[in-house]
Amino acid sequence: MTGRARSADPSVDAAVFTRRTFDGRAVALGVTGSIAAYKALGLTSALVQRGAHVDVILTRAAGELVRPLAFQALTHRPVALDLWDPAGAIAMDHVAIAHRAELFIVAPATADAVARLALGLAGDALGTTALAVRCPIVVAPAMEPRMWDHPATQGHVRTLLERGVVIVGPVGGRMASGEHGVGRMVEPDTLLEHLAAALGQGGPLHGRRIVVSAGPTREGIDPVRFLSNGSTGRMGYAIARRARDLGADVTLISGPVALPPPAALTFVGVESAEAMCAAVLDVAPTADAIVMTAAVADYKPVRYSAEKVKKQPGDMTLVLDRTPDILVALDEVVRERCDAPVRVGFAAETSDLIGHARAKLEGKNLDLIIANPVPASFGADDSEALLIDRTTVDARPLGAKADLAGEIMRRVHGLLQERDARILGRTRS
Ligand code: C5P
């Protein structure tokens, strides 16, 4: 049975859910005079590669450290340098960049830049743009640890935070001076995650609390051995990022995987099915939606040996016990609530994909289940999937997990609106 999938809110363009976060977005990047300015080149390149239109604004000091031409070559756009140069791009219309910016970044931000931003000083191209933008602002400070620690700097940082500015870093490590401490600008990869989250502020999932589980669980046999499976966590991590970049407040509960934890969300690392169950139930009371992507182990050894098990001649028998079914445990807790969170499960199947997935949808009382054929989708970047609810089956052809994540979030958004209507109906009656 293949029917048309239930549509989400028609007032929200479906493309919002599936488009890549930076694609076609106008980003203004202010670079100030820290030696970390070289990292701004990597950041610019990464943004351009992801489809962003990047306007770079260099302070005079930054222009001494990194040539404007380098940014121009990467962005294919003029670089704003001097407000007072009659031939300069920014002198023609000193707030044009600010008007089109959907995101304003200052990276690296020196102690001087942090102070100027906090005070609202507008004596240069960066300052005028900072005052004229009406989009999210992200600042990545870089300075000597003593300058960062200084009450003056900390006071300015507080002012910026109170104004809703996102401050990312600095991080600890070796400074260019040779000193060690907190003052290094975050690496562009980490910063990109915060930028994606900032761009999503006010997105269609704004104000929604979404819990995502990901990866495998490990069931210990002894201190060096465990039972587990080959889940890489990629699908769950893609969903968590997508939800975050659409404005949601995300908690990612992850079993052990090789992926670094995504930034700008709440990350909870767990090992066993029992620990994952406890973590999910802990956040369930305040969750609007729970997406269980994790490949939870169904069995665990009855006995855990504190000593490493020694090999013996002949066969060995491992006696196993069932682990809790997290979605079933969750249903028992939330079933009676009219504001029960939207619940999404996954079903990896080797046969009768639709039959098995439907049985799980009903047995675990889910709103939506995503059925994947295995081993095809296991550990790959791409996945084909069926999105199955109570009445429809929507077949998604092989595509990037990031795109599937967008489609799942579009469906979750629709289900959240149905839940809103249910809650409203209950409070009115
Ligand atoms: O029953 P099966 O394990 O195939 O169901 C898969 C779905 O149930 C997934 O969403 C998975 O995260 C979830 N699950 C669970 N607790 C378990 C096993 C699976 O919540 N113990």
Side-chain angles (χ1 to χ4, degrees):
M1 181 181 63
T2 301
R4 261 169 52 78
R6 223 178 300 168
S7 64
D9 180 0
S11 68
V12 181
D13 184 359
V16 168
F17 293 93
T18 46
R19 77 166 174 212
R20 300 290 167 98
T21 306
F22 293 103
D23 200 23
R25 312 298 290 274
V27 173
L29 170 62
V31 183
T32 73
S34 148
I35 188 58
Y38 77 91
K39 292 188 188 175
L41 285 171
L43 178 66
T44 304
S45 170
L47 286 166
V48 172
Q49 282 175 43
R50 285 163 176 74
H53 305 300
V54 186
D55 286 309
V56 176
I57 304 163
L58 291 185
T59 61
R60 271 181 189 278
E64 296 293 327
L65 291 161
V66 194
R67 303 283 298 155
L69 194 58
F71 288 100
Q72 208 162 299
L74 289 170
T75 62
H76 303 201
R77 297 162 86 87
V79 169
L81 192 61
D82 188 350
L83 205 51
W84 310 113
D85 171 8
I90 193 126
M92 308 286 181
D93 181 352
H94 73 294
V95 286
I97 292 177
H99 282 176
R100 61 175 169 264
E102 296 172 81
L103 179 67
F104 180 48
I105 312 157
V106 184
T110 58
D112 181 67
V114 168
R116 288 167 157 276
L117 289 168
L119 293 172
L121 299 182
D124 61 3
L126 186 79
T128 50
T129 307
L131 288 187
V133 291
R134 291 294 175 270
C135 59
I137 301 177
V138 180
V139 173
M143 64 195 74
E144 282 296 313
R146 287 163 187 238
M147 296 169 82
W148 173 249
D149 282 344
H150 196 282
T153 306
Q154 288 303 311
H156 292 315
V157 168
R158 273 195 301 279
T159 303
L160 292 173
L161 287 170
E162 279 161 18
R163 246 184 247 152
V165 172
V166 178
I167 309 278
V168 187
V171 291
R174 185 186 180 279
M175 308 300 299
S177 62
E179 228 188 281
H180 280 75
V182 174
R184 285 170 62 86
M185 182 182 138
V186 287
E187 293 305 316
D189 279 354
T190 309
L191 188 50
L192 274 171
E193 296 239 20
H194 289 275
L195 300 180
L199 255 181
Q201 281 177 16
L205 294 177
H206 173 75
R208 306 289 196 178
R209 277 187 288 262
I210 300 190
V211 177
V212 183
S213 74
T217 62
R218 279 183 186 173
E219 311 305 323
I221 297 170
D222 68 19
V224 292
R225 302 186 183 93
F226 52 80
L227 295 175
S228 191
N229 59 67
S231 168
T232 59
R234 280 189 217 180
M235 189 69 240
Y237 278 52
I239 290 175
R241 285 198 165 91
R242 197 72 230 150
R244 178 198 69 190
D245 298 351
L246 289 163
D249 176 352
V250 178
T251 300
L252 173 61
I253 300 171
S254 176
V257 294
L259 306 169
L265 50 70
T266 305
F267 183 85
V268 182
V270 295
E271 290 253 333
S272 67
E274 263 164 28
M276 185 173 278
C277 189
V280 169
L281 295 184
D282 192 37
V283 289
T286 54
D288 296 305
I290 299 185
V291 184
M292 280 291 299
T293 319
V296 186
D298 293 318
Y299 293 93
K300 63 168 190 184
V302 167
R303 251 180 304 281
Y304 173 81
S305 166
E307 291 287 321
K308 187 180 169 195
V309 178
K310 296 287 170 208
K311 56 177 166 286
Q312 309 277 357
D315 290 349
M316 181 193 183
T317 305
L318 199 58
V319 184
L320 304 177
D321 210 359
R322 281 293 308 269
T323 56
D325 189 302
I326 301 172
L327 281 169
V328 171
L330 179 66
D331 186 49
E332 278 160 17
V333 178
V334 301
R335 194 183 313 161
E336 301 301 328
R337 282 174 31 193
C338 74
D339 66 342
V342 165
R343 278 161 284 159
V344 180
F346 273 70
E349 305 292 345
T350 49
S351 66
D352 187 15
L353 202 54
I354 296 180
H356 283 128
R358 265 257 146 74
K360 282 173 196 171
L361 180 83
E362 275 151 33
K364 301 183 192 226
N365 201 12
L366 307 177
D367 298 283
L368 180 69
I369 192 154
I370 291 85
N372 299 115
V374 283
S377 58
F378 237 61
D381 279 327
D382 289 348
S383 178
E384 59 177 302
L386 300 172
L387 273 61
I388 302 172
D389 63 18
R390 299 281 162 154
T391 51
T392 65
V393 176
D394 181 17
R396 313 290 309 172
L398 191 67
K401 285 184 175 171
D403 295 336
L404 179 59
E407 183 54 26
I408 293 168
M409 280 304 119
R410 188 181 74 79
R411 295 291 294 274
V412 166
H413 177 254
L415 290 163
L416 282 167
Q417 287 186 316
E418 288 175 21
R419 173 177 173 264
D420 288 347
R422 244 185 351 258
I423 297 170
L424 200 65
R426 190 67 71 91
T427 45
R428 279 205 183 127
S429 63

